[in-house]
Each structure stands twice: as C-alpha cells, then as structure tokens.
Amino acid sequence: MGNYLRFKKNDKFNLNIEEGSFVTFLSKNNNYLLNIFTCLNKSSYLTINNKRIKNIEEYDIRKNISYVLNKDLNIFTSETVESEIAYSLEYIYKKKKDIQKVILEKSEIFGLKKYLKYSPDILGSSDKTKLKILSNIVFEPKVLILDNILSELDYDDKKIIIKILKEYVKKGNIVLNFTQDVEESLYGDKIVINNENMIIIEGKTLSVLNEDKLLKKLGIGLPFIVELNKYLIDYRIIDKYELNINKLVGDIWK
C-alpha cells in the first residue's frame, strides 16, 4: 500500500501516512495538526491521494476524510439516533430501503439499535461517542480522524469500537487518533509525538515506546502492559514482548 495522506510545514514537520495505517498522535495540544487537516493553517499543505488540497470546502471531502472531535460530542443535527445516522448515508444511497438496511445492520454492531427512536441528546457519554463514530464511519471515508474521543467510551464500548476500527483499517483505510493517553497507543501500529509544529519522534509503536529516556524527558509514561513486559524481560522471566495480558500470564506460568 502506498502513501495516501501527506502533510508538510517544513523539514521538521513532514509526514507521509500509508493506506491501512492506525496512527496515534501523542501530544498535549494537537490544534496545530488539526488545523492542517482542515486547511486552516495556510502556511502548510495537505495532500490526499496525490492531490494538494487548498480549501477543504471545495474538495469532495466526505468520501476521503471525516472527523470526530471531542468538542462536538454533544452537537447533533437530527432529532433521533436513526435520522442522525441516515443523514450520513444520504450521501451514498438514494433509496430509503437501502439506508434503513444499513442503519439496522450498523446500529446492531455498534450496540445502538435499541436507541434508534431516541433523541441523541438523552444518550450517555459513551453512547454519544459511539453514535458520533458510527455517523462518521458509516459511509467509509478513506481517513477517519479521532480527537480525544476514545476516552469517553466505557470499557465494553471501547472494546467494540477498537475492534471496528481495526477492521476498518484492514480494508486499507486510515485512522488517526489524537490523544493524550499513552495507553491508547497500543491500538495502533504507529506513534507520532509532536510539539506543536515539530515532530519529535515517529515510528512503529513498540519502537517509539522503547525510547524510555526521550519519553521520560517529554513527561510521557509507558502503557502498563509495556512497562510490565520491560520489567519481566529485565528479570529474564520472559524473552520477548507479549502485549496480550492473558497470553502474558500464560508465558509467566509456563
């Protein structure tokens, strides 16, 4: 798979993202990057599928890139959950029966089927977050951007959503997860750590997490399971990383 998404500011901020990537952006302030993606930062440029985008509003953006932002979590355009999802599907399907079929199928997968006739405003935070993600992924944009949104999910809902996102990436799509929670880095295959308009480090997830001194200097800890692995490797209890906690326990007791 080739590079699909590119954005550039200068030699210190030049990033290419391949199809089928799940990238975690770890930063306390990701407004700079989000402004690049929405073309608000005019001194930078964004390239989608080799086409430079000067104005996000003039581009057929919905099939290429979609956003789920924490600041918009309580903003809905429709009176019911069903119509909120339908609004996104009207872009693709012309027939109501086709839209209804997709709504029933996807709402079941997302655990929202029982709320279809409810107002989105009465949903809890976790269900609102699922609805926002569903409404933005249901028409399968090539790139899905999440801005500090996964932290709003409860434990069970997070397992559902991560499974959905990983399947979405396997189809060749891209997930960009902006977060301050290092635990979320384990969901993806790549980490980018930036400080406003400078990329400090980027690379495969475990490769970046192995940069202990740099992460400590940046005030970033390690995910619990990674820290545990390092401890066990140091004491020669295991000889390689195992990030699945159940398998790790099995390895310890062999």
Side-chain angles (χ1 to χ4, degrees):
M1 293 185 178
N3 291 325
Y4 184 85
L5 191 66
R6 300 176 181 177
F7 48 97
K8 180 178 177 66
K9 165 70 175 177
N10 49 41
D11 291 337
K12 294 182 179 180
F13 210 114
N14 184 7
L15 194 62
N16 297 325
I17 298 175
E18 293 183 347
E19 295 174 303
S21 297
F22 192 139
V23 185
T24 305
F25 288 84
L26 278 174
S27 176
K28 293 181 179 179
N29 185 354
N30 282 309
N31 289 334
Y32 179 83
L33 271 177
L34 291 171
N35 285 341
I36 292 178
F37 283 117
T38 53
C39 294
L40 292 176
N41 189 325
K42 301 302 181 183
S43 64
S44 307
Y45 70 80
L46 175 68
T47 303
I48 298 177
N49 200 18
N50 296 318
K51 181 174 181 179
R52 182 166 173 173
I53 310 304
K54 295 180 180 179
N55 188 329
I56 216 81
E57 298 300 328
E58 296 175 358
Y59 189 63
D60 185 13
I61 203 67
R62 282 183 69 80
K63 69 179 181 181
N64 287 284
I65 188 166
S66 191
Y67 311 82
V68 186
L69 309 179
N70 191 283
K71 69 182 181 66
D72 296 333
L73 183 60
N74 294 303
I75 300 175
F76 298 97
T77 59
S78 307
E79 293 183 358
T80 67
V81 169
E82 183 177 30
S83 54
E84 186 76 16
I85 303 169
Y87 178 78
S88 297
L89 291 170
E90 288 169 0
Y91 176 78
I92 303 174
Y93 301 99
K94 302 300 181 184
K95 296 180 181 180
K96 288 186 177 180
K97 66 176 182 179
D98 293 331
I99 293 176
Q100 190 62 28
K101 180 181 178 181
V102 175
I103 289 174
L104 291 175
E105 289 176 352
K106 297 299 183 181
S107 63
E108 179 74 31
I109 294 171
F110 276 74
L112 291 170
K113 190 174 182 179
K114 63 182 177 181
Y115 299 120
L116 288 178
K117 302 300 181 183
Y118 287 52
S119 166
D121 295 322
I122 71 169
L123 298 179
S125 177
S126 190
D127 286 322
K128 283 182 179 179
T129 303
K130 287 194 298 179
L131 177 57
K132 282 289 187 179
I133 294 173
L134 172 53
S135 298
N136 282 275
I137 202 176
V138 71
F139 54 89
E140 299 215 355
K142 190 67 178 180
V143 182
L144 180 68
I145 296 176
L146 308 176
D147 177 35
N148 288 292
I149 205 80
L150 297 180
S151 59
E152 302 291 342
L153 296 165
D154 63 31
Y155 178 77
D156 291 331
D157 284 343
K158 187 174 288 188
K159 288 198 297 184
I160 293 171
I161 294 302
I162 296 305
K163 181 180 179 182
I164 290 169
L165 294 178
K166 288 186 175 181
E167 290 174 353
Y168 171 77
V169 167
K170 284 180 181 179
K171 295 178 182 179
N173 298 311
I174 296 168
V175 171
L176 306 181
N177 181 36
F178 293 86
T179 181
Q180 299 179 33
D181 185 355
V182 71
E183 295 289 341
E184 293 181 16
S185 66
L186 297 179
Y187 305 143
D189 49 68
K190 183 176 181 178
I191 294 176
V192 176
I193 299 178
N194 63 288
N195 180 16
E196 285 296 317
N197 62 346
M198 179 185 293
I199 293 178
I200 299 172
I201 186 172
E202 63 168 302
K204 295 291 185 180
T205 297
L206 276 179
S207 176
V208 172
L209 292 176
N210 268 317
E211 297 291 335
D212 302 62
K213 293 181 179 179
L214 176 59
L215 294 179
K216 187 175 181 179
K217 185 177 180 180
L218 295 172
I220 299 174
L222 292 176
F224 170 76
I225 190 70
V226 173
E227 196 162 22
L228 179 58
N229 269 266
K230 285 181 175 291
Y231 175 84
L232 295 173
I233 289 172
D234 287 344
Y235 281 87
R236 299 182 180 179
I237 298 173
I238 59 174
D239 57 9
K240 63 180 180 179
Y241 282 96
E242 177 51 72
L243 301 183
N244 182 298
I245 187 63
N246 293 324
K247 291 182 180 180
L248 179 59
V249 172
D251 290 344
I252 293 173
W253 290 103
K254 280 183 179 180

